[in-house]
């Protein structure tokens, strides 16, 4: 009896310590890289289609701007731009089948990235560039992919970070991640 009491006490202490150090629940994880500060400036290259450019600008204003991040658009490219967005007709490797992708091209330090590119694949058009742009911008601020289908979630928990981006906004958990980081 005494041994079981000690085991239960040790187990209770372990669970109690886990509760104290456990991070809040999250809809998805942070990706391997994230923006180095809360100001996110964008440059939209001339090779973007009208729908791609419009989707990026919409997502910047309506998906990201309601968080603690601040956004702006530069009319010309310079080395201070945080996100350079362009499109290509010649993707390589697996990217040939992707709608778009986000890459850190200039690391600041550790996991922090000073400059990203978001590249749209002209050969694989998407039906909703607002949601696709929301998804790719999410990667640039550190959001990883979320699992499940949006139709299985309440409105506040639907996210453009899920599989085939079909939702134009970040889930409440996504926004909490962004606001907690920046």
């Amino acid at each position: 009896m005494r041994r079981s009491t000690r085991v239960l006490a040790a187990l209770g202490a372990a669970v109690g310590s886990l509760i104290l150090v456990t991070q809040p629940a999250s809809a998805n994880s942070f990706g391997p890289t994230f923006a180095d500060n809360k100001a996110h400036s964008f440059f939209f290259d001339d090779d973007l289609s009208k729908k791609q450019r419009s989707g990026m600008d919409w997502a910047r204003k309506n998906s990201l701007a309601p968080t603690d991040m601040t956004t702006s658009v530069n009319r010309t490219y310079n080395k201070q731009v945080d996100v350079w967005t362009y499109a290509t007709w010649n993707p390589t490797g697996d990217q040939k089948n992707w709608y778009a992708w986000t890459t850190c091209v200039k690391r600041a330090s550790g996991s922090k990235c000073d400059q990203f590119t978001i590249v749209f694949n002209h050969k694989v058009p998407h039906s909703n560039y607002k949601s696709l742009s929301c998804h790719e911008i999410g990667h640039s601020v550190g959001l990883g992919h979320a699992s499940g289908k949006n139709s299985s979630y309440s409105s506040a928990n639907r996210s453009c970070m899920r599989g085939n981006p079909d939702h134009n906004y970040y889930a409440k958990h996504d926004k909490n991640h962004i606001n907690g980081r920046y």
Side-chain angles (χ1 to χ4, degrees):
M1 199 65 143
R2 217 175 214 168
R3 181 179 174 160
S4 63
T5 303
R6 281 185 282 173
V7 169
L8 286 175
L11 184 60
V15 169
S17 66
L18 282 175
I19 290 170
L20 292 175
V21 297
T22 302
Q23 297 296 317
S26 61
N28 56 24
S29 61
F30 271 113
T33 57
F34 53 89
D36 62 341
N37 60 60
K38 73 179 215 165
H40 229 38
S41 62
F42 292 82
F43 172 70
F44 303 142
D45 213 318
D46 292 340
D47 56 6
L48 291 172
S49 72
K50 185 176 180 180
K51 288 181 180 181
Q52 291 163 341
R53 179 184 305 269
S54 175
M56 278 298 295
D57 204 39
W58 187 94
R60 176 188 70 81
K61 292 175 186 173
N62 297 286
S63 299
L64 188 59
T67 69
D68 288 346
M69 296 291 292
T70 59
T71 71
S72 62
V73 175
N74 290 21
R75 297 209 182 273
T76 58
Y77 176 79
N78 63 56
K79 292 182 180 184
Q80 303 307 313
V81 168
D82 296 302
V83 182
W84 174 26
T85 306
Y86 64 95
T88 184
W89 286 100
N90 299 309
T92 59
D94 289 343
Q95 295 168 338
K96 290 179 181 179
N97 300 315
W98 298 355
Y99 296 114
W101 55 92
T102 302
T103 306
C104 176
V105 293
K106 183 181 172 191
R107 283 206 189 263
S109 63
S111 295
K112 293 182 179 181
C113 184
D114 187 49
Q115 189 175 50
F116 290 89
T117 58
I118 294 177
V119 184
F120 289 93
N121 184 354
H122 278 312
K123 291 186 175 183
V124 184
H126 196 270
S127 61
N128 184 343
Y129 283 106
K130 291 177 184 177
S131 66
L132 181 60
S133 297
C134 175
H135 182 92
E136 296 305 328
I137 290 171
H139 288 315
S140 76
V141 297
L143 295 177
H145 290 129
S147 60
K149 295 183 180 214
N150 277 321
S151 59
S152 302
Y153 292 86
S154 68
S155 186
N157 293 316
R158 292 180 181 168
S159 174
C160 63
M161 297 310 297
R162 289 203 167 78
N164 257 344
D166 64 350
H167 190 69
N168 298 342
Y169 299 96
Y170 300 114
K172 183 177 180 181
H173 278 92
D174 299 336
K175 291 176 188 173
N176 289 341
H177 270 312
I178 294 168
N179 293 338
R181 164 97 8 116
Y182 303 103

